[in-house]
Amino acid sequence: GAVVSQHPSRVICKSGTSVKIECRSLDFQATTMFWYRQFPKQSLMLMATSNEGSKATYEQGVEKDKFLINHASLTLSTLTVTSAHPEDSSFYICSARVSIRGSDAEAFFGQGTRLTVV
Amino acid sequence: QKEVEQNSGPLSVPEGAIASLNCTYSDRGSQSFFWYRQYSGKSPELIMFIYSNGDKEDGRFTAQLNKASQYVSLLIRDSQPSDSATYLCAVAYNNDMRFGAGTRLTVKP
């Protein structure tokens, strides 16, 4: 299957700082990328959907000013957690789909980023 | 609100048995259906996808889709301890893809 690379895999930051997470599709062009958050023993929670070149669509309850998403190219999307707090500590996962195949396209996931805010 | 529902489990089966995982969805316009496996601390990986009503087999895995009843299931034959994981059902319509909460499966040796 296609490869989605997510970086970093782990990050520890101080409360109040910002953290950027990168998601790259290595061997295909991903017109749509998704960002998820997963707390321990809980399910994936969709945070936002981003299409290349346009603003991200955020799920209800997700603060768009806190979780900045940029999808500037067909192979790269970034999630920046601004002014991080301990409650933002979680496992963040991106996924990418080749939207030209429409709904048939499966989603490929990055390896995930475990964020710990101290 | 488009919803994808799964029994959270845990589902426990003995080694060698058939594990049956079920998923229902609310959007009748859904077009594509996917099963992912997620090991603890890892990101999900695709197992199977199905688009048409009926069964689709791939090795020990069989996906079943019934659009009229709005459910999709995954059968795992000859279950192995290595199959122990959380199984996520995903339903897609155009660019939108929604995941269920996942069913935790434990296969006991």
Side-chain angles (χ1 to χ4, degrees):
Chain A
V3 177
V4 175
S5 176
Q6 188 173 340
H7 178 82
S9 58
R10 289 180 180 272
V11 59
I12 300 173
C13 71
K14 290 185 178 180
S15 187
T17 62
S18 295
V19 173
K20 180 185 281 189
I21 302 169
E22 291 189 349
C23 182
R24 292 181 184 272
S25 56
L26 297 186
D27 50 3
F28 68 100
Q29 293 183 331
T31 49
T32 304
M33 287 189 172
F34 304 87
W35 286 96
Y36 299 88
R37 180 168 52 184
Q38 188 174 39
F39 293 105
K41 298 189 185 299
Q42 294 189 22
S43 63
L44 289 173
M45 290 174 47
L46 179 64
M47 299 176 67
T49 302
S50 74
N51 292 297
E52 184 263 341
S54 61
K55 290 183 178 181
T57 302
Y58 289 81
E59 293 297 296
Q60 193 172 5
V62 178
E63 299 175 60
K64 61 181 180 181
D65 294 330
K66 181 173 181 62
F67 299 99
L68 302 178
I69 292 172
N70 185 284
H71 191 167
S73 77
L74 287 171
T75 59
L76 174 65
S77 178
T78 60
L79 167 67
T80 301
V81 183
T82 62
S83 186
H85 288 95
E87 58 265 31
D88 297 324
S89 299
S90 187
F91 191 47
Y92 292 85
I93 311 174
C94 71
S95 72
R97 297 179 77 197
V98 180
S99 297
I100 57 174
R101 286 176 48 198
S103 62
D104 287 359
E106 61 266 41
F108 297 99
F109 284 84
Q111 304 94 319
T113 297
R114 187 159 303 282
L115 170 64
T116 303
V117 185
V118 297
Chain B
Q1 180 80 6
K2 299 174 184 176
E3 294 185 352
V4 181
E5 301 284 345
Q6 290 182 257
N7 188 327
S8 62
L11 174 66
S12 181
V13 301
E15 183 174 357
I18 296 175
S20 177
L21 305 161
N22 299 311
C23 173
T24 59
Y25 58 95
S26 63
D27 185 4
R28 282 197 172 274
S30 300
Q31 297 166 320
S32 305
F33 308 86
F34 307 86
W35 282 100
Y36 287 82
R37 176 176 60 198
Q38 185 179 23
Y39 292 112
S40 181
K42 304 293 184 182
S43 59
E45 55 181 343
L46 180 69
I47 299 175
M48 290 189 71
F49 55 86
I50 186 168
Y51 308 138
S52 305
N53 277 328
D55 295 359
K56 179 181 179 182
E57 187 174 317
D58 184 0
R60 295 187 296 112
F61 300 96
T62 299
Q64 299 175 318
L65 174 62
N66 184 321
K67 289 188 177 181
S69 300
Q70 295 175 244
Y71 85 78
V72 57
S73 62
L74 180 70
L75 300 178
I76 306 175
R77 289 183 299 281
D78 188 24
S79 296
Q80 302 297 309
S82 59
D83 295 327
S84 298
T86 296
Y87 289 80
L88 301 166
C89 167
V91 175
Y93 174 74
N94 290 335
N95 279 351
D96 190 64
M97 178 180 266
R98 300 280 161 165
F99 284 81
T103 298
R104 195 161 79 246
L105 172 67
T106 301
V107 181
K108 296 187 175 180

